[in-house]
Amino acid sequence: MSLFYAIIGEDAPGSLEQRLAARPQHLERLKALQSEGRLLLAGPFPAIDSADPGPAGFSGSLIVAAFADLAAAQTWADADPYVAAGVYHQVSVNPFKKVLP
């Protein structure tokens, strides 16, 4: 049985260029989760109050997806291209209980 986990990546200061370069590989992994029916939601946190923050960039990202257990979710998060590219300076993985909708 799969459970949901919230993966929160916090961007390193000044990492917008690395984020943009690694984005295609990052999105490929998310699309794979989606095609497997495991992705609940995913998206970045704009660094300013705007849908398109431009050069202000992003402060991090949230991914909520189903995994077999916490260890599997952590392993998946550790392999994210944003981690390898130095975009995320910290990643946390927590169990998530979907209540609504």
Side-chain angles (χ1 to χ4, degrees), residues 11 19 23 26 42-47 51 53 57-62 82 88:
D11 284 20
R19 176 184 266 273
R23 187 170 189 264
H26 173 77
F45 301 123
F58 301 90
S59 62
S61 302
L62 170 65
Y82 283 175
Y88 293 157

Side-chain angles (χ1 to χ4, degrees), residues 34-75:
Q34 184 177 26
S35 70
E36 295 166 6
R38 297 170 47 204
L39 183 65
L40 184 61
L41 64 91
F45 301 123
I48 60 173
D49 190 13
S50 172
D52 181 5
F58 301 90
S59 62
S61 302
L62 170 65
I63 300 163
V64 180
F67 293 92
D69 55 32
L70 181 60
Q74 186 69 59
T75 298

Side-chain angles (χ1 to χ4, degrees), residues 2-95:
S2 293
L3 303 171
F4 285 115
Y5 293 88
I7 300 168
I8 300 171
E10 296 180 30
D11 284 20
S15 62
L16 181 58
E17 187 175 316
Q18 294 96 313
R19 176 184 266 273
L20 296 175
R23 187 170 189 264
Q25 296 84 8
H26 173 77
L27 289 178
E28 276 184 41
R29 296 180 80 233
L30 293 174
K31 288 177 184 176
L33 286 178
Q34 184 177 26
S35 70
E36 295 166 6
R38 297 170 47 204
L39 183 65
L40 184 61
L41 64 91
F45 301 123
I48 60 173
D49 190 13
S50 172
D52 181 5
F58 301 90
S59 62
S61 302
L62 170 65
I63 300 163
V64 180
F67 293 92
D69 55 32
L70 181 60
Q74 186 69 59
T75 298
W76 188 92
D78 290 344
D80 194 290
Y82 283 175
V83 173
V87 176
Y88 293 157
H89 73 93
Q90 181 175 335
V91 177
S92 61
V93 180
N94 298 289

